[in-house]
Amino acid sequence: MTTAQIREAYLSYFESKGCKRMPSSSLIPDDPSLLLTSAGMVQFKPYFLQQKQLEEPYVGTTTVQKCVRTNDIDIIGTTGRHLSFFEMLGNFSFGKYFKREMCTMALDFSVNVLGLPLEKLYFTVFEDDDETIQIWKDLGVPDDHISRLGEDDNFWRAGPTGPCGPCSELYYDQGPEFGCGSPDCAPGCDCDRFLEYWNCVFTQFDGQEDGSLVELPKKNIDTGMGLERIAAILQGVQTNYETDVLRSLIAVGERLAGATYGEDATVDLSLRIMADHSRAVTFMIADGILPGNEGRGYVLRRLLRRAIMKAHLIGVEGHFLNEYVDEIVRLMGDVYPEIVENRELERKLIMAEEDRFGATLAHGQAYLEQELATLSGTTLSGTTAFTLHDTYGFPVEITSEIVGERGIQVDMDAFEREMEAQRERARSAGAKDAEAAWSTYGGVYADILNEVGPTAFVGYQHTEAPATVVALVRDGQRVDVLEAGEKGDIFLDTTPFYAEMGGEVGDTGRIVDGQVHAYVEDTTAPEKGLVRHSVKVEGGRIATDDTVEAIVDARRRASIERNHTATHILHAALRQVLGDHVRQAGSYVGPDRLRFDYTHFEAMMPEQIAEVERVANDRIMEAVPTTIYETTLDEARANGVTALFGEKYDTDVRVVEAGEFSRELCGGCHVNNTAEIGFLKITSESSVGSNTRRIEAVTSYGALAYVDKMEAELRETASMLKVPLFDVSERTASNLKSMKELQQAAKRGKEAVSDDGINELLSMAQQAPAGYPVIIAKTPAQEAGGQRHLWDVVRARMAAPGALVIAGENDGKAVLMAAATDEAVAKGFDAGQIIKAMGPAIGGGGGGKPTMAQAGGKNPAGIEDALEIARNMVL
């Protein structure tokens, strides 16, 4: 059986037994205490804790859950079993069926659907669980195929206290050739002979602090079967990596590296890691995880870099990971449409990370060279090797190879100590995650939800509705009454108030009843389906069971609706202008403005911003009616409706359409026609991360106010410049040019009169035959005023009263000046006559007094000739 056939067979089987087939949940769990979804039970935590009920006639659920586990990332690839990404087949019951039914179905499915020989199957049971042992015997399992194991192996606990229970594991005997040869070899042995493929947990106890076990009122079933592991058994291969899906990915690596799997252990390790990590990376990005330096983003980046580094080891360079993603989409895209929908984003993100890691590798090499330069001896410290591994992505074998060429070895014992410390930290975090996954939500809000059920929301159709107060909370505690002047939370059976969700802020308004008046400051959902109205009671007193009128601030809601629909249109416009890799990565929708975060890898050009704005406003001005309807998630995806990046959806979804241009899944409030938006104005575009950009925008009244403010600023500027309104930019450009020229002239003048410049001129002084010093020289470009200032400085610093003749080029023209002290003039120097003689050489002329004269001309190429004329006249 192929992996796809096993997956469908499992789901179909338990569906036929009354279980509801549920889609895989996102790799980003709803529980904030968990980093990643690592088991099938995560999405069913509220059911196990009796906070949600499974509708009739279902007796349970069944899923194939995509999972990521990275606690032992450094082991992945070194064994045939460890994977970072895997699929977990599961079936779950929340008090409907228990041990006998589960064992019966597990054996029936294993033997009659999968075709596993009963004589090859072995079963482990918790040592004190006589009931399950008897069940297996009743089902025909031989005594010598049933083993009792202790608490470490066959008793599952979420933590020191809480839900727990025995478990029974199913093993497949791969044959003595896989074993350790020990006569005591049996299920639970560390060798590969007995391969566990299914774990059935019977959650029947509530563990107490004193160690006692109290029977739960409703007993649960939580099972998990590794799809890759059972595929290995059924396909007759020794490792997960030889199953059809992973073997196809290894073939991609063989093609890229020009290698053959199975011929070289080092090459095989790289091929396995590249195949495994590429699959994890593809699914993580598709579920809304972006590379980063912490949390999920760090896990993703580490997997990417580990795959790239292993590829380098076997000669694969440049951009290559998208070759894997194409194959993953081909193999698994029909089951997980999100990897198809986000293909362009996956492509661009991966290429950007490949480029970024190239730079990191260079930094790592520089770090290693720095350490080697200060090394005394022939052993590189294990700490340095670990830093290269952990920070720069250098496998220790690469480090060993590099330093080995220089006669240096790595302290591997110290390196292994560092690695083991990291593994221990990861194991500890993993254990805490497992415990957190079963920690009780609890709290007053969960109690209210369990007691009164979800709030009926009528806000799509109405902004006012009658309602009954079902619960009150003040300072985190249930109360019967809220008095005037008090703040608290009101819970109604029905509400028109939209609770903050999906980026849209919560409604405000009033809850009234005769003399009672409570102002609703905010609306939120502390538990899914439960609406909390945070209020201040401004008059009267409000009590549980009161009948009230809930009234939303309709004007504020209308502004929010305009901005929300505008985010949808903006999203579609961005994808049209920038490309299909653009995905919404967050938003804020308020009454005054909107913020839209999206995946993109560089700042938008001004013309791109203008085009996005134009496209969006074209759609708005078309006055397209919005269409809102409910359908299934599968049907919506089949029809090309956009699912928001990283968002988690139920089986039934709500679609908001603004014509064919914008079609998105959304639970928010929207306008009836795009014309209600008025128009959209983008106010800023900026970065919020290496892969995410942000647009701020306003619509309707907010856009009008923004444009009015811009116009007022423009009018004030035009008034100061004394030009018409639409000549402001031209005049400003002209003024800037003039200012720049003045600044350059000032800079040139400053250079000319600097100490170095003056000293150089003074050193050029020659003695005229009439007995006075004279300087004749070409100077840096200066205006006429600058030349006069230069003469003032030179005159003050000359050793004796003298004269100066200078020439320079300014703005493509020649500028001349001659000047002298009275003493030099008395000895025959005549500035006016000298300048008059020099003028023709520069194609111009000028004049002045004997003490000061200047000229200008259009031929700066004649400056040297002009200076030569002056020399002949004076010297």
Side-chain angles (χ1 to χ4, degrees):
M1 295 176 73
T2 65
T3 295
Q5 289 170 334
I6 299 168
R7 186 192 295 117
E8 179 56 35
Y10 186 93
L11 293 172
S12 296
Y13 178 84
F14 282 97
E15 199 172 29
S16 73
K17 299 300 181 182
C19 291
K20 181 179 182 180
R21 184 189 294 217
M22 301 280 279
S24 171
S25 65
S26 170
L27 288 171
I28 303 175
D30 285 326
D31 189 335
S33 66
L34 295 176
L35 189 65
L36 293 160
T37 299
S38 58
M41 57 72 54
V42 172
Q43 69 169 302
F44 299 112
K45 178 176 171 181
Y47 294 93
F48 282 119
L49 297 172
Q50 306 296 317
Q51 294 168 352
K52 291 182 68 174
Q53 304 299 321
L54 189 65
E55 67 269 26
E56 297 294 342
Y58 298 110
V59 300
T61 62
T62 183
T63 65
V64 52
Q65 175 64 50
K66 52 193 175 185
C67 300
V68 169
R69 290 182 187 171
T70 57
N71 293 348
D72 295 318
I73 189 172
D74 294 298
I75 296 176
I76 292 168
T78 62
T79 74
R81 298 184 186 181
H82 285 80
L83 301 171
S84 62
F85 175 91
F86 58 94
E87 295 178 84
M88 182 70 79
L89 302 168
N91 62 284
F92 311 89
S93 175
F94 321 110
K96 295 289 188 178
Y97 64 82
F98 201 48
K99 289 182 181 179
R100 182 166 295 276
E101 294 88 345
M102 184 61 237
C103 291
T104 301
M105 290 187 288
L107 189 61
D108 179 42
F109 181 76
S110 296
V111 174
N112 297 320
V113 178
L114 298 183
L116 298 176
L118 180 59
E119 62 271 17
K120 288 276 194 178
L121 302 185
Y122 286 77
F123 305 80
T124 63
V125 180
F126 179 54
E127 56 192 358
D128 294 337
D129 189 4
D130 296 333
E131 178 186 4
T132 301
I133 289 177
Q134 189 57 51
I135 291 171
W136 288 125
K137 290 181 179 180
D138 293 344
L139 292 172
V141 177
D143 287 0
D144 59 354
H145 281 228
I146 303 172
S147 304
R148 294 178 185 264
L149 293 178
E151 185 168 343
D152 289 344
D153 295 293
N154 276 90
F155 194 92
W156 183 88
R157 292 181 182 272
T161 61
C164 59
C167 59
S168 183
E169 296 175 329
L170 281 67
Y171 288 77
Y172 179 79
D173 182 2
Q174 299 192 95
E177 62 273 22
F178 289 86
C180 57
S182 169
D184 298 326
C185 185
C189 181
D190 289 335
C191 73
D192 290 333
R193 174 172 179 174
F194 296 98
L195 184 64
E196 180 216 332
Y197 69 93
W198 204 344
N199 184 18
C200 303
V201 178
F202 309 125
T203 312
Q204 64 186 95
F205 300 116
D206 183 6
Q208 305 299 301
E209 291 187 2
D210 62 3
S212 62
L213 301 175
V214 176
E215 289 274 350
L216 290 170
K218 288 189 176 182
K219 298 176 176 60
N220 304 316
I221 291 292
D222 169 14
T223 78
M225 178 195 293
L227 178 55
E228 292 80 4
R229 189 168 291 189
I230 191 63
I233 293 172
L234 293 175
Q235 293 171 17
V237 296
Q238 295 186 18
T239 74
N240 291 340
Y241 292 97
E242 296 167 75
T243 57
D244 54 339
V245 171
L246 283 167
R247 188 61 184 84
S248 294
L249 295 179
I250 285 175
V252 173
E254 289 178 304
R255 174 170 53 80
L256 291 170
T260 301
Y261 185 69
E263 291 186 350
D264 183 288
T266 300
V267 173
D268 289 353
L269 177 62
S270 288
L271 292 174
R272 286 194 295 269
I273 289 172
M274 291 157 69
D276 169 82
H277 287 13
S278 63
R279 197 163 61 144
V281 163
T282 301
F283 278 86
M284 290 174 78
I285 294 174
D287 272 358
I289 300 170
L290 300 176
N293 294 323
E294 58 184 23
R296 301 180 187 101
Y298 175 74
V299 173
L300 172 58
R301 179 164 281 167
R302 189 176 179 203
L303 290 168
L304 272 164
R305 293 184 171 185
R306 194 165 187 257
I308 294 168
M309 198 64 172
K310 289 297 182 181
H312 283 206
L313 278 175
I314 57 175
V316 180
E317 303 285 346
H319 299 130
F320 71 91
L321 275 171
N322 275 299
E323 300 280 338
Y324 285 94
V325 182
D326 286 339
E327 182 68 1
I328 293 163
V329 168
R330 185 186 73 81
L331 292 167
M332 305 178 74
D334 58 333
V335 181
Y336 300 103
E338 62 271 20
I339 65 175
V340 181
E341 293 166 358
N342 291 291
R343 181 65 192 97
E344 190 58 27
L345 174 61
E346 293 155 3
R347 183 187 310 280
K348 291 197 174 248
L349 265 177
I350 286 170
M351 290 180 67
E353 283 298 308
E354 286 173 324
D355 290 338
R356 185 175 285 110
F357 188 45
T360 301
L361 284 175
H363 291 315
Q365 289 166 339
Y367 169 75
L368 177 57
E369 289 300 326
Q370 178 182 335
E371 292 297 311
L372 291 174
T374 59
L375 182 67
S376 59
T378 59
T379 301
L380 184 72
S381 79
T383 301
T384 298
F386 178 77
T387 299
L388 285 164
H389 159 83
D390 195 50
T391 303
Y392 299 103
F394 277 50
V396 70
E397 57 267 26
I398 287 287
T399 303
S400 296
E401 183 179 323
I402 293 172
V403 302
E405 294 173 354
R406 308 185 193 189
I408 297 169
Q409 62 181 2
V410 175
D411 184 346
M412 291 303 299
D413 289 340
F415 174 80
E416 285 300 330
R417 285 195 296 272
E418 295 279 1
M419 287 295 298
E420 184 55 37
Q422 185 190 65
R423 293 188 192 109
E424 183 55 39
R425 290 192 294 271
R427 282 192 290 269
S428 176
K432 290 177 181 177
D433 274 358
E435 182 175 339
W438 273 94
S439 62
T440 303
Y441 289 136
V444 64
Y445 303 118
D447 292 342
I448 292 173
L449 179 61
N450 291 334
E451 179 184 322
V452 304
T455 312
F457 176 64
V458 296
Y460 294 137
Q461 301 82 22
H462 309 284
T463 54
E464 298 183 17
T468 299
V469 178
V470 295
L472 298 169
V473 172
R474 185 181 66 241
D475 298 329
Q477 301 295 321
R478 294 280 293 271
V479 294
D480 295 324
V481 176
L482 287 176
E483 302 284 356
E486 291 184 335
K487 286 191 173 185
D489 301 330
I490 296 178
F491 297 87
L492 306 173
D493 63 340
T494 302
T495 185
F497 284 79
Y498 182 83
E500 180 179 350
M501 195 178 306
E504 181 178 329
V505 299
D507 282 330
T508 61
R510 296 173 294 141
I511 294 176
V512 299
D513 175 24
Q515 300 300 311
V516 175
H517 184 274
Y519 175 67
V520 179
E521 298 176 329
D522 195 12
T523 309
T524 54
E527 295 284 343
K528 187 174 182 179
L530 184 69
V531 176
R532 172 177 61 188
H533 309 81
S534 299
V535 305
K536 179 178 181 180
V537 181
E538 296 180 337
R541 64 197 303 269
I542 194 162
T544 306
D545 297 327
D546 280 356
T547 300
V548 296
E549 189 75 13
I551 304 171
V552 174
D553 182 338
R555 181 180 176 87
R556 180 177 180 274
R557 162 76 80 80
S559 295
I560 294 169
E561 289 173 344
R562 295 185 188 105
N563 284 337
H564 200 158
T565 306
T567 64
H568 286 215
I569 293 174
L570 178 62
H571 188 187
L574 283 164
R575 286 171 63 83
Q576 179 175 312
V577 174
L578 300 181
D580 289 341
H581 66 279
V582 170
R583 291 284 179 176
Q584 180 173 334
S587 68
Y588 167 84
V589 180
D592 56 336
R593 63 187 175 89
L594 66 90
R595 182 181 70 229
F596 189 84
D597 295 345
Y598 61 101
T599 53
H600 192 51
F601 309 99
E602 59 187 2
M604 286 176 65
M605 303 296 290
E607 54 269 26
Q608 290 176 316
I609 296 174
E611 179 64 9
V612 168
E613 195 175 87
R614 184 196 66 77
V615 170
N617 281 312
D618 279 352
R619 301 291 85 77
I620 291 169
M621 301 301 179
E622 287 174 356
V624 178
T626 54
T627 304
I628 301 175
Y629 60 91
E630 293 187 355
T631 184
T632 65
L633 179 60
D634 290 342
E635 185 68 21
R637 278 183 158 146
N639 290 331
V641 177
T642 300
L644 297 191
F645 182 55
E647 189 70 30
K648 296 178 278 291
Y649 296 100
D650 292 331
T651 304
D652 297 318
V653 293
R654 184 171 179 262
V655 179
V656 177
E657 294 183 351
E660 290 296 317
F661 182 71
S662 172
R663 306 166 69 221
E664 285 191 15
L665 302 180
C666 183
C669 301
H670 291 271
V671 299
N672 294 315
N673 188 295
T674 60
E676 296 175 39
I677 297 170
F679 72 101
L680 176 140
K681 188 67 186 172
I682 295 173
T683 59
S684 70
E685 195 273 348
S686 59
S687 171
V688 289
S690 59
N691 305 301
T692 309
R693 308 292 301 178
R694 170 172 291 172
I695 279 179
E696 302 264 2
V698 286
T699 69
S700 63
Y701 295 111
L704 283 172
Y706 181 80
V707 171
D708 286 346
K709 183 178 180 182
M710 288 182 65
E711 184 181 5
E713 293 282 344
L714 186 60
R715 287 189 182 280
E716 184 178 352
T717 305
S719 175
M720 289 188 289
L721 293 174
K722 296 183 174 14
V723 296
L725 198 65
F726 294 106
D727 289 348
V728 166
S729 60
E730 183 179 343
R731 175 58 62 86
T732 302
S734 175
N735 288 349
L736 285 173
K737 180 181 179 183
S738 298
M739 184 174 70
K740 186 175 182 179
E741 290 172 350
L742 288 171
Q743 289 172 338
Q744 290 173 340
K747 181 180 179 182
R748 291 193 297 267
K750 187 175 181 180
E751 291 172 352
V753 298
S754 66
D755 283 345
D756 290 343
I758 297 299
N759 289 335
E760 185 177 356
L761 280 174
L762 291 172
S763 69
M764 297 170 67
Q766 295 176 274
Q767 195 71 15
Y772 58 87
V774 61
I775 299 169
I776 302 174
K778 182 177 181 180
T779 60
Q782 283 183 307
E783 295 177 329
Q787 289 183 327
R788 290 193 295 270
H789 176 61
L790 178 62
W791 164 240
D792 290 339
V793 176
V794 169
R795 180 175 56 188
R797 294 179 59 178
M798 290 182 80
L804 172 73
V805 180
I806 56 175
E809 183 180 347
N810 185 58
D811 199 18
K813 297 179 181 179
V815 182
L816 311 177
M817 186 191 77
T821 62
D822 291 338
E823 291 84 350
V825 171
K827 294 180 180 181
F829 186 91
D830 188 331
Q833 291 299 318
I834 293 171
I835 287 298
K836 185 175 181 181
M838 295 172 70
I842 61 170
K849 300 176 181 179
T851 56
M852 172 77 71
Q854 291 182 281
K858 298 180 179 180
N859 180 28
I863 286 177
E864 287 298 337
D865 291 339
L867 290 173
E868 188 61 27
I869 291 170
R871 291 188 187 98
N872 291 334
M873 292 179 68
V874 177
L875 299 175

